[in-house]
């Protein structure tokens, strides 16, 4: 029985084939020529205090529809006003309701780094992310073997992009560190079962060297969890659902940053 992650990636590959038929890799590469250099997201995430990567997220496989988000640019601007270090934009269509159009809208609206959050399996997607203005890409260790992960990290590095390398367990954390990842996200949600265990970050954080940026993902419901992850060694948190359903994205981001500062 294929896992949820396997099913998502099958859909991602189908959708990718359709885009490749419309826009060639060479065209994407030409679009990248002359673009401003990517923002140095890693440097910003290393600043003192807890960084918040705030997410534009319409839906999820575990919760279904979360928010219509008729104006992703306005939401991203509110996040930035609240102090978000970076904005994450879901571009996966089938399970998360995202699109590259959302990425374009957010990129045009904010000056902070933008993460293209998707299930990256090919070089094409990385060039695509850069052509649409992303500064950061997500690479999920569970979805890639070591060779593929190293290849995608190397390409992103050549383009000047930051890689957020996501892990879920001890073996994946070790793989990410051994391959030289410097920004490592611990997802408290198991993408194979969709279960969340907020203790996952605290368990895996000691396996990630202090020289790396440690990002806690999933399970951040509000300021209390933000402070908890900061105490456990998180340099940043990635927050989606709590912010898109919370009603006040400016205060939502700000309250998490403040709570972590008081931990």
């Amino acid at each position: 029985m294929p896992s949820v992650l396997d099913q998502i990636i099958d859909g991602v590959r189908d959708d990718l084939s359709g885009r490749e038929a419309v826009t060639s890799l060479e065209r994407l590469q030409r679009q990248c020529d002359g673009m401003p250099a990517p923002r140095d997201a890693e440097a910003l995430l290393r600043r003192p205090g807890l960084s918040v990567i705030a997410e534009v997220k319409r839906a999820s496989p575990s919760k279904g529809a979360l928010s219509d988000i008729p104006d992703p640019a306005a939401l991203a601007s509110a996040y930035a006003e609240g102090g978000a270090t970076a904005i994450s934009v879901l571009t996966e269509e089938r399970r998360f309701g995202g699109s590259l159009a959302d990425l374009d809208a957010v990129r045009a609206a904010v000056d902070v780094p933008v993460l293209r959050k998707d299930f990256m399996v090919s070089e094409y997607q990385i060039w695509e992310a850069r052509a649409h203005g992303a500064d950061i890409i997500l690479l999920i260790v569970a979805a890639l073997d070591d060779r593929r992960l190293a290849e995608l990290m190397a390409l992103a590095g050549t383009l000047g992009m930051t890689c957020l390398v996501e892990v879920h367990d001890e073996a994946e954390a070790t793989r990410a560190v051994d391959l030289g990842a410097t920004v490592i996200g611990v997802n408290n949600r198991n993408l194979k079962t969709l279960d969340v265990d907020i203790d996952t970050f605290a368990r895996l954080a000691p396996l990630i060297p202090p020289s790396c940026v440690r990002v806690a993902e999933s399970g951040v419901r509000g300021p209390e969890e933000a402070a908890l992850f900061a105490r456990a060694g998180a340099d940043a948190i990635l927050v989606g659902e709590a912010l898109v359903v919370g009603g006040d994205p400016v205060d939502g981001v700000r309250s998490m940053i403040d709570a972590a500062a008081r931990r």
Side-chain angles (χ1 to χ4, degrees):
M1 179 72 176
S3 69
V4 174
L5 178 61
D6 292 333
Q7 294 172 33
I8 292 173
I9 290 176
D10 286 345
V12 164
R13 290 187 185 279
D14 286 345
D15 294 340
L16 175 59
S17 296
R19 295 197 305 277
E20 287 175 318
V22 173
T23 304
S24 69
L25 175 61
E26 292 73 20
R27 181 178 174 185
L28 287 177
Q29 291 169 332
R30 288 195 300 271
Q31 286 179 237
C32 292
D33 289 342
M35 288 182 65
R39 293 153 181 81
D40 190 346
E42 181 173 341
L44 295 174
L45 291 169
R46 289 185 180 278
R47 294 184 305 185
L50 184 72
S51 295
V52 173
I53 305 171
E55 196 154 79
V56 176
K57 181 178 184 179
R58 289 190 168 88
S60 75
S62 60
K63 295 291 183 68
L66 298 172
S67 175
D68 289 339
I69 311 182
D71 191 344
L75 178 59
S77 297
Y79 288 156
E81 182 182 344
T85 298
I87 310 299
S88 171
V89 183
L90 262 303
T91 59
E92 197 279 334
E93 299 178 24
R94 299 187 184 206
R95 301 294 188 99
F96 293 88
S99 69
L100 287 165
D102 286 347
L103 183 60
D104 290 336
V106 169
R107 172 72 291 157
V110 299
D111 291 327
V112 299
V114 174
L115 161 67
R116 180 191 181 181
K117 193 173 182 200
D118 209 318
F119 297 78
M120 311 294 271
V121 293
S122 78
E123 285 86 352
Y124 183 95
Q125 291 168 292
I126 296 178
W127 283 101
E128 191 176 51
R130 180 82 281 265
H132 286 268
D135 310 288
I136 318 169
I137 58 164
L138 178 73
L139 296 175
I140 301 174
V141 173
L144 303 162
D145 62 29
D146 283 358
R147 179 179 176 180
R148 198 72 185 126
L149 179 57
E151 290 170 346
L152 297 182
M153 287 172 61
L155 174 57
T158 298
L159 294 176
M161 303 177 78
T162 296
C163 294
L164 172 57
V165 180
E166 179 178 292
V167 304
H168 302 82
D169 59 27
E170 287 82 357
E172 291 175 11
T174 299
R175 289 174 58 200
V177 171
D178 289 348
L179 287 170
T182 55
V183 181
I184 298 179
V186 175
N187 196 338
N188 296 292
R189 184 184 302 281
N190 184 326
L191 290 183
K192 296 178 180 179
T193 65
L194 300 184
D195 295 331
V196 173
D197 177 2
I198 64 171
D199 293 328
T200 302
F201 179 84
R203 192 178 76 245
L204 300 189
L207 302 177
I208 302 170
S211 58
C212 295
V213 176
R214 299 166 177 167
V215 184
E217 307 175 26
S218 298
V220 185
R221 296 185 294 270
E224 181 178 344
E225 288 77 22
L228 182 152
F229 287 127
R231 288 194 298 270
D235 301 295
I237 53 175
L238 192 153
V239 193
E241 180 183 340
L243 291 173
V244 299
V245 304
D248 187 341
V250 176
D251 182 67
V253 172
R254 188 173 291 149
S255 65
M256 292 181 189
I257 295 171
D258 291 346
R262 296 192 302 268
R263 71 183 190 278

